[in-house]
Amino acid sequence: MNFVKESVNQTPIVDTVFSIVAKAKEAKAKVGSENVVDATIGSLYDEEGTLVALDSVYSSLKNLDNKVLAAYAASFRGNPDFRQKVYDWVLNGNSHLEHEVIATPGGTGAVGMTLQECLDEGQTVILPEIAWGSYVLMAQMHNLNVEKYSLFEKDHFNLNSFKTACKKVMEKQNRLVMVINDPCHNPTGYSLSEEEWKEVISFLNECSKTHAVVLLNDIAYIDFSSRQEKAKEYFAQFDQIEKNFVVIVAFSLSKSMTSYGLRCGAAIVLGQEKEAVNQVKIVFEKDARATWSNINNGAMATFVDVLDNHKDAYDQERLHYVNLLKERGDIFVKEANEVGLKHYPYKEGFFVTLSMDNETRDKFHEALMENNIFTVKVNLGIRVAICSLSVEKTKGLAKKMKDILDTVA
Amino acid sequence: MNFVKESVNQTPIVDTVFSIVAKAKEAKAKVGSENVVDATIGSLYDEEGTLVALDSVYSSLKNLDNKVLAAYAASFRGNPDFRQKVYDWVLNGNSHLEHEVIATPGGTGAVGMTLQECLDEGQTVILPEIAWGSYVLMAQMHNLNVEKYSLFEKDHFNLNSFKTACKKVMEKQNRLVMVINDPCHNPTGYSLSEEEWKEVISFLNECSKTHAVVLLNDIAYIDFSSRQEKAKEYFAQFDQIEKNFVVIVAFSLSKSMTSYGLRCGAAIVLGQEKEAVNQVKIVFEKDARATWSNINNGAMATFVDVLDNHKDAYDQERLHYVNLLKERGDIFVKEANEVGLKHYPYKEGFFVTLSMDNETRDKFHEALMENNIFTVKVNLGIRVAICSLSVEKTKGLAKKMKDILDTVA
């Protein structure tokens, strides 16, 4: 009995988040919220422990005509005004390349579509060693092999490891597809410097002399960078890409608009030549139509309305939380450094990740839970979701964790 | 230069709808709406030519807490209360099989996922000869071959052709996957009788002795059947399926809730054994996570709220349009029969389709446009979207069309 295709892996997903979220909830019911540190949830929460849903966004959505919410989008690629607005908002004047935008269900849709359509079965995608779990699942679902690059060399991006991974894959296939999740890498909070991006592009340009290059740049958290507009300046480096090289920027409204539930994002395809960008656009449009048909029309209309008519209110609200996130991050990192709790080089973003081998991680994670501190295990580390942790709960947490770590390590 | 996989077909989609919709719009601007018959749009419109967005649905959505709209769904398979409500609403007590529900972006998501995950590349899916265009695109995107069955033998379902198609495919592969779009077939408006369904199930049970059978039943338009609850009674026939046979029911909120733009639907997996249903569930959940991650949370919450708390209002609103649709359909079909304008056996639903060969169709379609009548070409016919055509515009249309047909045929 087999109702699914032979070529699909039937092993169920091992859940590392929902079960821990549930345990944290149980603990709160048992000993009281005030005695539990719940650093599991990967969405932005305010200081009162409530999910942030920006007023500027949801008042815009709720003011839309019902018919706008009800209607199909104008195109399988998304509404034209949405596509233009995404391009303008994300690139912020920093890019001069040929471009096309395809609306997708969140950033997931843009990343998944790229892995599905840019590599044939049996080929290899290059992924960061510490990463959002869905990348590996996507590779598995499309029967791709994975080559991983180590993220850090001391406190900097490990360009050598990145190069080694690319060279290894180039020996096997004629196209290079890699994911760089930057800025605000999930889950370490690292952001490449301008110089690091320059070196990455320069190296990939070399590769493009013999291999087609598709760089998937996942920018899910970009609008919560503490550098704001400055965090978008690295896009100018992409102007240097050669002809045999396209960049696909995976943008998500989930974080930018605090609208995880609306399922809206975009793939922005950038290249030197119209023909290259058009090739990707055609295939992505077909994939979209055959997979989800079109994208949440109200979410697209809201994005356009917020940026056209409520931008000041939106900026003000968002910046409040950008600053709050920075405050939490600064506290945690400062205290961690003071007590010698090792972490990956955090610069900005929703998560800080403590660095350790996986054996220590497993023991530590258990011990933390015994002390009512709930976190999520990632490869080679423990993810601390400062995005959902109040300043008050953040204070003193690093020392508590270090003390617990000392009992198991 | 090739940035996409070798195995993907790069031929752009040939659009047969948007370009005609645009032409109809132009004509209205030129000669006035009152002089144009626009039967192109496949969404439900009221008598004033406005898209229907049910108040009961959108007042529910707009009354949701912003945090419900903002939050991720509770599971990659959709919220538990949504899954339960979909099962209850769709099956309406008519099924006693093991079951699982997976939330999807519209009905498209459920159909696409089934074609993607239930057949390996190079295998064959069985599709109706006259059908929604996306089925063929889905097959192409997953490199599946297509075997078509003729839909009608005189005015009835062509069981012989269906059997022939299945037998042909059984010689080549060990699994049978076929689409039956029923009730309210798009675009002919046919619905199988209880007896026809009985014969289909009985035949497929025979097939299941040697081949795994996956029946994809696309029910996108079911809630606009003029028979309403009675249109769901055929689900009881599925209780007779054998162990080596699963049914996947593709449900869409797009029509049922007039919420095309919200992108919400579900795949309902039915089988005799827990193990069979579970196998499909596991793979679909992985596909969901790797493709769109999760589904519009507000749309799921709205569906539950409408059916829990506003069902009378929703029923009343929906029934008004069910009756209106029936009125339009009755007028068109009666007049078509009077003037001898041939059409496929229409029973209910959004579309009536005139029957003719493709050569006549092309000439007729052009001639209609010259007379400011806009329709959509389908295989072996012309689709008349009575869903968006007022009673007034419907009256007399069949004769006008017949007169024009006589000039080209």
Side-chain angles (χ1 to χ4, degrees):
Chain A
M1 186 201 68
N2 201 21
F3 298 104
V4 294
K5 61 186 179 183
E6 308 295 331
S7 56
V8 70
N9 178 315
Q10 297 186 29
T11 311
I13 300 171
V14 177
D15 161 53
T16 54
V17 178
F18 284 119
S19 56
I20 309 300
V21 171
K23 282 187 184 182
K25 211 172 159 185
E26 273 172 41
K28 288 178 203 170
K30 202 171 153 193
V31 301
S33 281
E34 66 283 9
N35 298 311
V36 173
V37 175
D38 181 1
T40 58
I41 300 168
S43 305
L44 186 65
Y45 275 56
D46 63 20
E47 290 293 288
E48 286 69 47
T50 307
L51 180 72
V52 175
L54 300 180
D55 278 341
S56 51
V57 171
Y58 291 96
S59 58
S60 164
L61 180 75
K62 288 185 172 177
N63 278 322
L64 292 175
D65 189 305
N66 289 349
K67 289 189 284 294
V68 173
L69 297 168
Y72 280 120
S75 155
F76 300 112
R77 281 186 285 134
N79 297 331
D81 58 353
F82 172 76
R83 300 199 306 253
Q84 182 63 48
K85 193 60 74 181
V86 164
Y87 177 77
D88 292 343
W89 172 254
V90 172
L91 280 307
N92 202 33
N94 291 301
S95 182
H96 304 85
L97 295 166
E98 294 290 338
H99 54 88
E100 288 285 354
V101 175
I102 294 95
T104 59
T108 301
V111 180
M113 188 179 242
T114 302
L115 267 60
Q116 176 162 13
E117 299 303 345
C118 294
L119 286 170
D120 282 282
E121 288 199 11
Q123 289 192 314
T124 298
V125 60
I126 299 164
L127 298 177
E129 183 181 44
I130 305 171
W132 183 44
S134 291
Y135 298 148
V136 167
L137 179 68
M138 289 168 182
Q140 187 203 80
M141 293 307 284
H142 303 302
N143 291 311
L144 304 176
N145 300 310
V146 173
E147 183 66 38
K148 293 186 179 174
Y149 60 93
S150 165
L151 266 176
F152 304 111
E153 196 176 34
K154 294 180 183 164
D155 269 4
H156 296 284
F157 182 71
N158 195 336
L159 189 68
N160 285 323
S161 176
F162 181 76
K163 285 182 178 178
T164 304
C166 291
K167 284 175 187 163
K168 195 169 161 192
V169 172
M170 285 165 80
E171 286 170 17
K172 298 190 292 187
Q173 65 194 49
N174 62 358
R175 196 175 316 115
L176 270 186
V177 180
M178 77 285 300
V179 175
I180 297 184
N181 173 206
D182 188 90
C184 313
H185 173 263
N186 171 6
T188 68
Y190 189 73
S191 294
L192 273 72
S193 66
E194 285 272 330
E195 190 53 40
E196 285 170 332
W197 264 116
K198 205 167 172 177
E199 288 177 14
V200 166
I201 298 301
S202 163
F203 169 71
L204 292 178
N205 273 338
E206 279 302 307
C207 299
S208 77
K209 288 178 180 166
T210 52
H211 290 67
V213 174
V214 179
L215 165 60
L216 189 290
N217 179 202
D218 183 349
I219 61 160
Y221 297 88
I222 196 167
D223 287 319
F224 282 87
S225 160
S226 56
R227 296 170 295 143
Q228 290 294 298
E229 290 202 342
K230 285 202 170 299
K232 295 177 173 176
E233 288 176 0
Y234 78 98
F235 288 128
Q237 309 262 7
F238 295 167
D239 282 3
Q240 305 307 317
I241 63 174
E242 298 285 345
K243 288 180 185 177
N244 199 27
F245 185 165
V246 296
V247 180
I248 298 169
V249 177
F251 173 62
S252 173
L253 267 64
S254 299
K255 286 84 186 178
S256 295
M257 293 269 145
T258 63
S259 61
Y260 320 89
L262 298 184
R263 311 313 305 139
C264 187
I268 307 168
V269 187
L270 303 169
Q272 288 296 354
E273 295 187 329
K274 194 79 209 150
E275 193 192 353
V277 170
N278 202 44
Q279 182 189 53
V280 176
K281 179 197 79 170
I282 287 169
V283 171
F284 279 17
E285 177 168 10
K286 290 172 75 173
D287 181 311
R289 183 175 187 175
T291 308
W292 52 67
S293 178
N294 55 92
I295 295 299
N296 188 332
N297 197 51
M300 289 193 279
T302 298
F303 183 75
V304 172
D305 179 54
V306 166
L307 294 180
D308 272 348
N309 304 314
H310 312 284
K311 189 165 176 304
D312 287 349
Y314 166 64
D315 280 344
Q316 205 177 331
E317 274 196 283
R318 191 185 72 258
L319 284 173
H320 168 75
Y321 290 105
V322 168
N323 292 333
L324 185 60
L325 196 59
K326 183 164 165 40
E327 187 183 351
R328 294 172 184 172
D330 286 350
I331 291 168
F332 187 82
V333 167
K334 181 171 172 286
E335 294 185 358
N337 292 345
E338 282 169 2
V339 299
L341 183 68
K342 285 204 289 184
H343 58 86
Y344 293 105
Y346 175 84
K347 293 193 178 178
E348 53 193 1
F350 275 33
F351 310 108
V352 180
T353 293
L354 306 181
S355 64
M356 62 197 69
D357 61 65
N358 287 339
E359 200 186 328
T360 307
R361 176 200 66 184
D362 291 348
K363 284 187 283 182
F364 184 39
H365 188 251
E366 277 299 324
L368 285 170
M369 288 197 287
E370 284 163 19
N371 287 277
N372 289 318
I373 297 173
F374 296 86
T375 58
V376 169
K377 293 198 278 188
V378 298
N379 188 32
L380 301 172
I382 288 282
R383 185 188 89 172
V384 181
I386 55 168
C387 56
S388 57
L389 206 60
S390 68
V391 166
E392 195 198 321
K393 288 272 172 82
T394 306
K395 282 180 184 163
L397 178 61
K399 174 149 184 6
K400 274 187 235 165
M401 293 181 91
K402 180 62 166 66
D403 290 346
I404 295 164
L405 180 61
D406 287 342
T407 68
V408 300
Chain B
M1 187 202 67
N2 200 22
F3 298 104
V4 294
K5 61 186 180 184
E6 308 295 331
S7 56
V8 70
N9 179 315
Q10 297 186 30
T11 311
I13 300 170
V14 178
D15 161 53
T16 54
V17 178
F18 284 119
S19 56
I20 309 300
V21 171
K23 282 188 183 181
K25 211 173 159 185
E26 273 172 42
K28 288 177 204 171
K30 202 171 153 193
V31 301
S33 282
E34 67 282 8
N35 298 311
V36 173
V37 175
D38 180 1
T40 58
I41 300 169
S43 306
L44 186 65
Y45 275 55
D46 64 20
E47 290 293 287
E48 285 69 46
T50 307
L51 180 72
V52 175
L54 300 180
D55 278 340
S56 51
V57 171
Y58 291 95
S59 58
S60 165
L61 180 75
K62 288 185 171 176
N63 278 322
L64 292 175
D65 189 305
N66 290 349
K67 289 189 284 294
V68 173
L69 297 168
Y72 280 120
S75 155
F76 299 113
R77 281 186 285 134
N79 297 331
D81 59 353
F82 172 76
R83 300 199 306 253
Q84 182 63 48
K85 194 61 74 182
V86 164
Y87 177 76
D88 293 343
W89 172 254
V90 172
L91 280 308
N92 202 33
N94 291 301
S95 181
H96 304 85
L97 295 166
E98 294 289 339
H99 54 89
E100 289 284 352
V101 175
I102 294 95
T104 58
T108 301
V111 180
M113 188 178 242
T114 301
L115 267 59
Q116 176 162 14
E117 299 303 346
C118 295
L119 286 170
D120 283 282
E121 289 199 11
Q123 290 191 313
T124 298
V125 60
I126 299 163
L127 299 177
E129 183 181 45
I130 305 170
W132 183 44
S134 291
Y135 298 148
V136 168
L137 179 68
M138 289 168 182
Q140 188 203 80
M141 293 308 283
H142 303 302
N143 291 311
L144 304 176
N145 300 310
V146 173
E147 183 65 38
K148 292 186 180 175
Y149 60 93
S150 165
L151 266 175
F152 304 111
E153 196 176 35
K154 294 181 183 163
D155 269 4
H156 295 283
F157 182 71
N158 195 335
L159 189 68
N160 286 324
S161 176
F162 181 76
K163 286 182 178 178
T164 304
C166 291
K167 284 175 188 162
K168 194 169 161 192
V169 173
M170 285 166 79
E171 286 170 17
K172 298 189 292 186
Q173 64 194 49
N174 62 358
R175 196 175 316 116
L176 271 186
V177 180
M178 75 286 299
V179 175
I180 297 184
N181 173 206
D182 187 90
C184 313
H185 174 264
N186 171 6
T188 68
Y190 189 73
S191 294
L192 272 71
S193 67
E194 285 272 330
E195 190 53 40
E196 285 170 332
W197 264 116
K198 206 167 172 176
E199 288 177 15
V200 166
I201 298 301
S202 163
F203 168 71
L204 292 178
N205 273 338
E206 279 302 308
C207 299
S208 77
K209 288 178 180 166
T210 52
H211 290 66
V213 174
V214 179
L215 165 61
L216 189 289
N217 179 203
D218 183 349
I219 61 160
Y221 297 87
I222 196 167
D223 287 318
F224 281 87
S225 160
S226 56
R227 296 169 296 143
Q228 289 294 297
E229 290 202 342
K230 285 201 170 298
K232 295 177 173 176
E233 288 176 1
Y234 78 98
F235 288 129
Q237 309 262 8
F238 296 168
D239 281 3
Q240 305 306 318
I241 63 174
E242 298 286 345
K243 288 180 186 178
N244 199 27
F245 185 166
V246 296
V247 180
I248 298 169
V249 177
F251 173 62
S252 173
L253 267 65
S254 299
K255 286 84 186 177
S256 295
M257 294 268 145
T258 62
S259 62
Y260 321 89
L262 298 184
R263 311 313 305 138
C264 188
I268 307 168
V269 187
L270 303 169
Q272 288 296 354
E273 296 187 329
K274 194 80 209 149
E275 193 192 353
V277 170
N278 203 43
Q279 182 188 53
V280 176
K281 179 197 80 170
I282 287 169
V283 171
F284 279 17
E285 178 168 11
K286 291 172 75 173
D287 181 310
R289 183 175 186 176
T291 308
W292 52 68
S293 178
N294 55 92
I295 295 299
N296 188 333
N297 198 51
M300 289 193 279
T302 297
F303 184 74
V304 172
D305 180 54
V306 166
L307 294 180
D308 272 347
N309 304 314
H310 313 284
K311 188 164 176 305
D312 288 349
Y314 166 64
D315 280 343
Q316 206 178 331
E317 274 195 282
R318 191 185 73 258
L319 284 173
H320 168 75
Y321 290 105
V322 168
N323 292 333
L324 185 60
L325 196 59
K326 183 164 165 41
E327 187 183 351
R328 294 172 184 172
D330 286 350
I331 291 168
F332 187 82
V333 167
K334 180 171 173 284
E335 293 185 358
N337 292 345
E338 282 169 2
V339 298
L341 182 67
K342 284 204 290 183
H343 57 86
Y344 293 106
Y346 174 84
K347 293 194 178 178
E348 52 194 1
F350 275 33
F351 311 108
V352 180
T353 293
L354 306 181
S355 64
M356 62 197 70
D357 62 65
N358 287 340
E359 199 186 329
T360 307
R361 175 200 67 183
D362 291 347
K363 284 187 282 181
F364 184 39
H365 189 251
E366 277 298 324
L368 286 170
M369 288 196 287
E370 284 162 19
N371 287 278
N372 289 319
I373 297 173
F374 296 86
T375 58
V376 169
K377 293 198 278 188
V378 298
N379 188 31
L380 301 172
I382 287 282
R383 185 188 89 172
V384 181
I386 54 168
C387 56
S388 57
L389 206 59
S390 68
V391 167
E392 195 198 321
K393 288 272 171 83
T394 305
K395 281 180 185 164
L397 178 60
K399 174 152 185 3
K400 274 188 234 164
M401 293 181 91
K402 180 63 165 67
D403 290 345
I404 295 164
L405 181 61
D406 288 342
T407 68
V408 300

